[in-house]
């Protein structure tokens, strides 16, 4: 009977003894990698990690990081956490060496709920190619307010000098005013359009290039082709800093949008130190209860031996 009694107490007592040991494991459970790219706050691959404004945005497929929004999927070439930007690649993007026509490009349209967090940078130019005269680009704008213009020193006039244009012959550089033919290339900023949707704009293709200030290159052959997206995090900077200061990872409740501090095997609504303290105190409080019961039963058994 004594053996059975002490074995039962040990099995009840063992889980409580292990709780304080696990309380010290403040690992960054949200940081991950896809190929050579590090995924850190506000981005994540795991549900509940990162910022809720970026949930279901990035996916790792065969060590290739993909960025998915309503206009399509793009390969992530780089995440610059210092400048809060991502560099994206669309395989149907025209460059200085090749034109991709037929409306196959994705363009770039940000989901409305992501607009506060994601937008192409101000120095990113979108050059729309082969748009029809009925395109919204050329409707409702007085002559001098046509949205076609250079962006950060990059525009169609320079782009026409690329070898890619040799395959389609002479360029139409006319205006829609007094002519039935629009310019074959129209450069715009994302801010001017709010969305680059090739179908709605009735365009055959597009190119996108960006500059890295203060770097200025000589011509379109040296432009950086791709989509440079600026991201921002709003609302929980103080919470996240407090969480990371205690070796936690910033996250959110997957059933809502409330902030959570991920502390390895548990979550906190404040930081990992506060959770550790409360967990630690709660564990020892339970142990004290068991110890008291154990002491009482020992006294009872010695007072009333069988």
């Amino acid at each position: 009977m004594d053996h059975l009694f002490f074995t039962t107490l040990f099995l009840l007592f063992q889980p409580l003894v292990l709780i304080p040991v696990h309380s010290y494991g403040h690992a960054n459970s949200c940081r991950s990698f896809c190929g050579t790219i590090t995924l850190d706050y506000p981005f994540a691959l795991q549900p509940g990690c990162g910022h809720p404004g970026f949930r279901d945005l990035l996916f790792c497929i065969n060590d290739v990081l993909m960025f998915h929004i309503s206009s399509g999927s793009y390969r992530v070439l780089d995440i610059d956490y210092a400048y809060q930007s991502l560099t994206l690649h669309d395989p149907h993007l025209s460059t200085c060496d090749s034109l991709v026509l037929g409306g196959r490009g994705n363009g770039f349209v940000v989901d409305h709920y992501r607009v506060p967090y994601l937008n192409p940078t101000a120095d990113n130019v979108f050059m729309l190619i082969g748009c029809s005269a009925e395109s919204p680009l050329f409707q409702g704008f007085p002559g001098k307010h046509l949205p076609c213009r250079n962006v950060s020193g990059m525009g169609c006039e320079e782009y026409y000098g690329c070898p890619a244009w040799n395959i389609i012959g002479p360029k139409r550089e006319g205006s829609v005013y007094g002519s039935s033919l629009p310019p074959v290339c129209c450069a715009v900023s994302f801010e001017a359009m709010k969305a680059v949707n090739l179908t709605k704009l009735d365009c055959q293709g597009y190119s996108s290039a960006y500059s890295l200030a203060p770097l200025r290159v000589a011509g379109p052959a040296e432009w950086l082709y791709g989509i440079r997206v600026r991201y921002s995090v709003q609302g929980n900077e103080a919470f996240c800093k407090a969480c990371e200061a205690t070796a936690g990872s910033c996250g959110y409740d997957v059933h809502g949008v409330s902030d959570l501090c991920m502390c390895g095997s548990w979550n906190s609504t404040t930081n990992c130190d506060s959770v550790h303290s409360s967990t630690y105190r709660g564990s020892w409080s339970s142990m004290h209860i068991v110890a008291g019961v154990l002491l009482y039963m020992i006294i009872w058994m010695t007072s009333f031996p069988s």
Side-chain angles (χ1 to χ4, degrees):
M1 178 178 176
D2 290 347
H3 174 73
L4 178 61
F5 169 72
F6 283 110
T7 300
T8 302
L9 282 179
F10 175 76
L11 291 175
L12 292 172
F13 198 81
Q14 187 183 32
L16 295 173
V17 173
L18 293 176
I19 287 175
V21 176
H22 290 300
S23 297
Y24 291 95
H26 290 186
N28 189 334
S29 57
C30 286
R31 180 177 294 129
S32 57
F33 301 88
C34 183
T36 59
I37 299 178
T38 302
L39 275 298
D40 215 334
Y41 187 83
F43 305 107
L45 297 176
Q46 309 95 313
C49 290
H51 188 281
F54 301 95
R55 67 195 304 175
D56 301 326
L57 179 71
L58 299 179
F59 300 88
C60 188
I61 304 173
N62 297 326
D63 285 335
V64 175
L65 189 62
M66 300 300 295
F67 173 101
H68 184 75
I69 54 176
S70 58
S71 56
S73 295
Y74 310 76
R75 180 171 182 171
V76 180
L77 302 180
D78 175 68
I79 300 178
D80 190 328
Y81 292 98
Y83 290 94
Q84 295 189 314
S85 62
L86 303 95
T87 303
L88 308 178
H89 170 69
D90 177 357
H92 300 300
L93 182 77
S94 294
T95 65
C96 198
D97 297 320
S98 65
L99 293 182
V100 181
L101 304 176
R104 289 183 290 162
N106 286 328
F108 199 81
V109 181
V110 181
D111 307 273
H112 68 90
Y113 63 92
R114 297 194 196 276
V115 169
Y117 310 108
L118 288 169
N119 274 298
T121 58
D123 58 4
N124 198 121
V125 60
F126 287 89
M127 290 171 287
L128 301 166
I129 303 169
C131 304
S132 73
E134 290 74 32
S135 169
L137 276 173
F138 312 121
Q139 304 301 317
F141 291 98
K144 62 181 180 181
H145 296 299
L146 185 73
C148 304
R149 64 182 182 85
N150 283 4
V151 178
S152 294
M154 298 177 290
C156 291
E157 291 75 11
E158 296 82 8
Y159 190 48
Y160 285 141
C162 285
W165 289 94
N166 296 335
I167 64 172
I168 64 172
K171 278 73 68 180
R172 301 194 307 268
E173 301 184 46
S175 168
V176 291
Y177 310 110
S179 170
S180 60
L181 296 178
V184 71
C185 175
C186 178
V188 298
S189 66
F190 191 80
E191 179 63 26
M193 303 303 300
K194 306 299 182 183
V196 178
N197 185 320
L198 298 188
T199 301
K200 289 185 176 180
L201 294 173
D202 198 8
C203 300
Q204 289 296 305
Y206 82 112
S207 182
S208 175
Y210 60 92
S211 62
L212 295 177
L215 180 65
R216 290 291 181 268
V217 294
E222 298 180 19
W223 289 352
L224 298 171
Y225 290 90
I227 304 172
R228 187 81 164 172
V229 178
R230 182 83 173 176
Y231 69 85
S232 62
V233 180
Q234 303 177 357
N236 65 344
E237 291 87 348
F239 173 87
C240 193
K241 287 180 180 178
C243 173
E244 292 180 341
T246 57
S249 300
C250 303
Y252 58 91
D253 180 2
V254 294
H255 301 295
V257 293
S258 58
D259 296 329
L260 287 179
C261 186
M262 320 288 279
C263 303
S265 58
W266 69 89
N267 301 331
S268 169
T269 56
T270 53
N271 58 65
C272 292
D273 277 356
S274 62
V275 171
H276 171 268
S277 299
S278 60
T279 303
Y280 183 85
R281 287 194 299 267
S283 301
W284 277 105
S285 176
S286 300
M287 293 172 66
H288 289 156
I289 294 172
V290 175
V293 173
L294 175 62
L295 179 61
Y296 173 81
M297 296 189 71
I298 291 175
I299 295 174
W300 182 82
M301 291 178 64
T302 55
S303 301
F304 302 97
S306 56

